[in-house]
Amino acid sequence: MLLDLHSKPILPPDRSVLSELDWGEVAALWNGNQLGQLHDWLNARWSRLIRNSPLGARDPEAELLQALAFATLALFFTQNQNQSGALLLLDDAMLALGKYRPSYMGIRIEPIYGTLQDLRPMLVGLAPDADCPMVPFVYPKFETLRAAP
């Protein structure tokens, strides 16, 4: 097998992803408990963002999208009897989201982080396929900050 060792230009980051983000769409999916769809929405934008970025997954905006995807999937898993997966993703989400508290890119991070923080001790020690420890399962609405006039 021959390798193509010619240098290829590094394309600029796909920053159009950020300008095209519709946090209203995120809020509708989050608030409607459509977490599987929201995870896919976030993941698609994260993938586009890191594709040509020199920072890759270390890009702060990409890391935020990934952290939100982790939080979303953790909430989805705990509702669908995958407590070990929920705990793993919850820890990853908290680690990344902690850097962006209390808000970032117009999103209120603190309520999301607080939900994960409250849920974590309930998941510890549960059987991997146990039912959701919170009945009813209620979490804060996805909130954005209003732009200053």
Side-chain angles (χ1 to χ4, degrees):
M1 172 192 280
L2 293 176
L3 297 176
D4 180 9
L5 298 177
H6 297 288
S7 65
K8 295 181 181 175
I10 295 177
L11 301 173
D14 189 356
R15 290 296 178 205
S16 65
V17 173
L18 297 178
S19 65
E20 295 170 5
L21 285 179
D22 181 357
W23 294 122
E25 190 173 351
V26 172
L29 292 169
W30 176 276
N31 298 341
N33 199 34
Q34 297 175 4
L35 300 173
Q37 291 171 293
L38 178 55
H39 173 266
D40 294 345
W41 189 98
L42 291 164
N43 192 49
R45 278 130 188 103
W46 173 82
S47 296
R48 276 187 53 211
L49 182 62
I50 68 165
R51 181 178 48 224
N52 297 321
S53 174
L55 294 175
R58 293 185 318 257
D59 182 291
E61 287 84 5
E63 187 178 42
L64 176 69
L65 291 177
Q66 186 175 46
L68 290 171
F70 288 161
T72 299
L73 208 50
L75 296 177
F76 177 81
F77 280 167
T78 196
Q79 293 178 79
N80 290 281
Q81 295 78 38
N82 182 353
Q83 306 313 330
S84 56
L87 186 58
L88 179 69
L89 287 167
L90 185 144
D91 285 342
D92 289 343
M94 287 181 65
L95 184 64
L97 286 174
K99 300 176 192 177
Y100 300 100
R101 292 167 61 192
S103 62
Y104 189 75
M105 287 180 54
I107 304 167
R108 291 200 55 228
I109 301 297
E110 196 61 41
I112 298 168
Y113 188 89
T115 296
L116 300 177
Q117 196 170 32
D118 291 345
L119 181 58
R120 190 180 194 293
M122 293 181 219
L123 296 178
V124 174
L126 284 181
D129 60 349
D131 287 334
C132 181
M134 292 175 62
V135 177
F137 190 69
V138 179
Y139 52 91
K141 301 276 186 208
F142 188 92
E143 298 178 53
T144 58
L145 304 171
R146 293 182 183 204

